[in-house]
Amino acid sequence: MSDRDSEFGEYLDSRAAVMRRTAYLLCGGDWHRAEDLVQTTLAKIYAAWPRLVRGSGIDGYARKVMVRAAIDDSRRAFRRRENAVERLPEVGVPPAGVDDAVDVRRALARLPAGQRAVVVLRYWDDLSVAETARALGKSEGTIKSQASKGLATLRTLLADGRVAVEGLR
């Protein structure tokens, strides 16, 4: 095994769980899409590995690649037409005792991809406004605006109870 492969393997071992969780949230709670997103991200990191090792921004580069790939994927036409779910909801009967975390994930899945990326990076990955702006290549004002809009939408969805009743679309 080459040095490049062993270094990349060590990085992967240390960051795989974090990458999967972030991808899961960026993909609106779809584990299959999240796994695809992580694979896409890892392929791009591996291709740029010699350049990344010389610098110190591997995690930042990984986040940027992941967010951009998630947004690109959400723009594809087939994503707007179909969303796979494990079980079909029963018509007319709201689920009883739905866990708050499930409601939040469902509401998060209904945000536009850009707002979802900002909310995930700011409040899940706990990045500052400046770090989020760098990761997404946006201005700090845009990050604040998107975070504000995203949180307002989440509050509305959760307060109205629409998420628990409508579920994933």
Side-chain angles (χ1 to χ4, degrees):
M1 184 185 295
S2 72
D3 287 341
R4 175 184 184 171
D5 291 344
S6 63
E7 288 174 352
F8 182 76
E10 288 174 20
Y11 175 78
L12 176 59
D13 289 342
S14 70
R15 302 302 294 165
V18 172
M19 291 177 80
R20 276 192 225 106
R21 284 192 303 264
T22 301
Y24 176 76
L25 293 172
L26 287 172
C27 292
D30 183 340
W31 277 116
H32 299 289
R33 283 182 55 211
E35 287 294 328
D36 290 344
L37 181 59
V38 169
Q39 289 300 314
T40 299
T41 302
L42 291 174
K44 291 183 180 186
I45 291 172
Y46 186 78
W49 190 254
R51 179 175 44 89
L52 293 173
V53 172
R54 287 190 299 263
S56 61
I58 298 171
D59 288 336
Y61 180 81
R63 267 194 299 274
K64 185 179 283 191
V65 167
M66 186 177 291
V67 168
R68 287 180 177 177
I71 290 171
D72 289 347
D73 187 58
S74 71
R75 291 179 179 155
R76 293 190 179 147
F78 72 89
R79 291 278 182 230
R80 288 189 296 257
R81 288 193 304 264
E82 295 181 18
N83 282 326
V85 294
E86 282 188 36
R87 286 186 324 162
L88 294 176
E90 292 184 26
V91 179
V93 179
V98 176
D99 188 27
D100 290 338
V102 172
D103 287 345
V104 171
R105 287 183 180 134
R106 287 179 175 166
L108 192 60
R110 296 187 52 200
L111 291 179
Q115 286 180 13
R116 185 169 53 241
V118 169
V119 170
V120 167
L121 293 179
R122 283 280 294 128
Y123 304 106
W124 178 263
D125 282 354
D126 201 27
L127 297 183
S128 68
V129 172
E131 291 169 329
T132 304
R134 272 194 306 279
L136 298 177
K138 306 281 183 189
S139 71
E140 290 184 21
T142 299
I143 298 303
K144 291 176 188 177
S145 171
Q146 291 295 300
S148 176
K149 289 176 185 175
L151 291 175
T153 301
L154 288 175
R155 284 187 196 105
T156 300
L157 290 171
L158 293 169
D160 292 349
R162 286 189 277 172
V163 175
V165 174
E166 293 176 11
L168 291 173
R169 288 185 182 242

